[in-house]
Amino acid sequence: MFKYLLRLFRRRSVPMILQAEANECGIACLAMIFRAHGVNIGMRGMRDKFPPSPHGASVRELMQIGRLMNFRATAYRIDPENLGEMLSPCVVLMDVSHFMVLTRLGTDGINLHDPAEGEVSLGFREFANRFTGVVIDLRPSGRFDDAQKPERSNVFRFLVSGFVSQRLRVSVILLLALILEVLFAVSPLLVQTFTDSVVPSSDYHLAWLLMGGFSLVALLQLAFGLYRGLLLSRLSEHLFVEWNIRIGEALMSLPYAFFMRRAATDVYSRFRSIDNIQRTVTTKFVESALDGIGVVFTLTMIVIYSKILAIFTVLTAIVYAGSRQLTVDRARKAERHEIRETSQQHGRLLEMLNAIHTIKSGGMEAIQLSRYEARTRAAAHASATLQMWTFTSSAIAKFLIQFHTVIAIGLGSIVCMRGQMTFGMVIAYVSYSTQFIDRSTKVSDVVADSRLVKIHAERLSDIVDEKKMVPGVVHLPFGDAIGIRVENLSFGYGNHDDDVIANASFSIEPGECVAIVGRSGLGKSTLMKLMNGLLVPKRGEILYDGISVSSISPVDLHNSVATVLQDDQLFGGTIFENIASFAPQYDRERVIEVAKRAEIHDEIMQMPMGYETGVINMGKSLSGGQKQRILLARALYRRPRLLFLDEATSHLDSRNEQAINRAISALRITRVIVAHRADTIRMAERVIDLAAFCAGYASEASHV
């Protein structure tokens, strides 16, 4: 076994930085190492400086990044038993293709920072089974950029902005909370008066008066409590709508590349983090806004009644606060794990639903159910672990409150028997001390929950803090068609990946029909996405009528350019609404006109509901050819001046394909077509062979 186990690492404090994309574990580990050595850089900065490849990063690439950041980077192949020779922290390659940061090697096991899951502790045998033997050692070799500013998240500012329009409602809620605090404070005094003044003197008049006072206080508490609950529900409703809409706006303003790098289920899971934040803020933070004041007031009262009893009460509150802080770190780890496993479970289910035709036709039901069962069991275990820590905190709180009440009554009785307090004062003290314990536990819970909310805020920051697309402001000149000029265009998905397209230069005249050809995987669809502005080139420029695509106003761009991509989708709604892109007041006659041009009108009319037929499951109730033609009709409905078609007729029979080709040829607009079929290519006036640009040289396309 490990001969250097007794030698502990010389340790640095290593921050935990989680990856947001599936293939960025490598740069996440480097960010942790850099931060441990004082470099103020996080995942956003790493993505900006070193964009991750969709294929991940190799050991050599991580070493290059380290050297660019003024670190000496050395890779070792080492046996597990010799790890004691390394200095922490260092990057280790685990499970063949996943990078982690090794933070500590001790006699009790090995601690790692896993950018996918968080802090991980492994036994020596498990670590040895997962360790590939590769270690990357990074040590500073020069001065860092002192001007590098720490990354700050805008999530807190975003959350606060949700309260701005509700200032009056929040103020009323706080005022009601203050009134309720006062009413709660009066109750013990009434009890003391009843016990010490009414019973000894048999004062029936005062008894009825105090009962009336008790009843009035209780009714006021009920009324103010109900009104506060109503306002909280309205505030919760407002925040739910406001935050979800603003997160949706932020999400839709992100570039297309953001969604290419992330699984849809992960983006959805991060989006839903706002719900957890909203529930916690409205049910705990706002509702308990004055608990801190209540703690100070009740503490003052119990000290006035008895300093000795107050010491016991305060110690009880301190014990609970300490126990809450001991469990919160484990709860944070459990919550991260639960979020990850639940997201993967939902992703597996959505994958099964989207590929149900493949599962059914291939007889893979048992296999896919087995995979889903494994994910479900993992998610259930993670959820149970999180609930266990939640129940543990709740059980400790209930025990301490009950324990404190019993002991406080006992100690108060002893003090009363010694003549230092009246029995009414004992009852009042127990009431105030119970309020103090209740409020102090809530304050401790809020502090702990704020750390749990931070997990969701960090996940939400991947959307809120991501660089948004900067919309253009230049208007396109009027005309029937748009001319395109591509100048020295290069594009690659990562800094260290070879360019998919290199130094491409060509022109397309207004009204011209051009076909882009090349073998599969060469980058035809990528070129089309670059040309219509979905992707941003690494170098070079794309011009519409002499204007850079990035400078064109989004309104002009969307009104003038239409695209039908291979993976385009329909949406839930009628065929009418889908062709009209869900415009509020669409032109039905125009819908029918473009449907006829796309050779789909007759088939729509044969459906029982015609154009009012509902689209189910993003068009899976339609044939591939029907879906393609509806998508083409949707593109034509916009009266574009430039039309991009990426294998838009690949599912059509030859008769329909020829009819659509004739309809497209008759259009007096610019058309750019990606196709493999000879009939579609023949309708083009020119052909651009993409192989020329992928081979590293550019040439003007030949005429057909």
Side-chain angles (χ1 to χ4, degrees), residues 479-482 556-564 590 594 597 632-645 667-671:
D480 294 330
I482 295 174
D556 276 22
L557 194 63
H558 297 148
N559 287 340
S560 303
V561 181
T563 305
V564 181
R590 174 68 179 162
V594 295
R597 190 174 294 177
L632 178 59
R634 183 172 70 187
L636 296 177
Y637 179 84
R638 295 161 61 180
R639 291 190 176 94
R641 298 163 55 197
L642 171 59
L643 179 63
F644 291 101
L645 300 174
L667 297 173
R668 296 180 178 275
I669 64 175
T670 307
R671 290 138 295 164

Side-chain angles (χ1 to χ4, degrees), residues 110-307:
I110 296 175
N111 295 343
L112 303 107
H113 279 9
D114 183 350
E117 295 191 19
E119 296 181 13
V120 176
S121 297
L122 299 179
F124 302 122
R125 179 172 298 178
E126 182 181 0
F127 176 83
N129 290 334
R130 297 176 61 183
F131 180 51
T132 61
V134 176
V135 177
I136 305 176
D137 181 44
L138 296 118
R139 306 183 193 180
S141 62
R143 297 189 63 182
F144 306 127
D145 183 7
D146 295 333
Q148 179 77 40
K149 295 181 179 179
E151 294 180 5
R152 299 187 183 277
S153 175
N154 293 315
V155 173
F156 179 74
R157 186 186 307 169
F158 162 79
L159 295 175
V160 170
S161 66
F163 289 94
V164 172
S165 61
Q166 298 292 303
R167 293 187 297 271
L168 178 60
R169 183 171 288 164
V170 172
S171 300
V172 173
I173 290 173
L174 294 177
L175 178 61
L176 290 173
L178 181 60
I179 293 173
L180 287 171
E181 288 291 334
V182 173
L183 293 176
F184 279 122
V186 171
S187 298
L189 295 177
L190 293 174
V191 172
Q192 180 182 343
T193 304
F194 203 102
T195 305
D196 289 345
S197 301
V198 173
V199 175
S201 61
S202 300
D203 190 338
Y204 294 97
H205 176 71
L206 182 59
W208 286 107
L209 186 64
L210 288 177
M211 282 190 287
F214 273 122
S215 301
L216 178 61
V217 169
L219 286 173
L220 289 174
Q221 287 177 344
L222 175 63
F224 287 127
L226 289 174
Y227 187 42
R228 185 182 65 166
L230 176 63
L231 292 179
L232 278 172
S233 66
R234 292 288 184 266
L235 177 64
S236 177
E237 178 184 0
H238 166 79
L239 292 179
F240 179 83
V241 174
E242 179 74 11
W243 284 346
N244 272 274
I245 289 176
R246 293 194 61 191
I247 288 293
E249 291 173 348
L251 192 64
M252 289 298 101
S253 67
L254 296 177
Y256 176 71
F258 173 88
F259 302 94
M260 289 182 63
R261 299 193 303 261
R262 290 163 172 82
T265 51
D266 183 65
V267 176
Y268 176 80
S269 173
R270 291 176 186 277
F271 191 99
R272 291 268 63 88
S273 287
I274 194 64
D275 293 346
N276 297 82
I277 296 174
Q278 177 259 322
R279 282 195 298 269
T280 304
V281 167
T282 54
T283 59
K284 292 185 179 180
F285 290 3
V286 175
E287 193 175 11
S288 304
L290 293 180
D291 279 333
I293 299 176
V295 166
V296 175
F297 175 78
T298 52
L299 176 62
T300 303
M301 294 301 294
I302 62 176
V303 169
I304 291 174
Y305 273 96
S306 173
K307 294 183 177 61

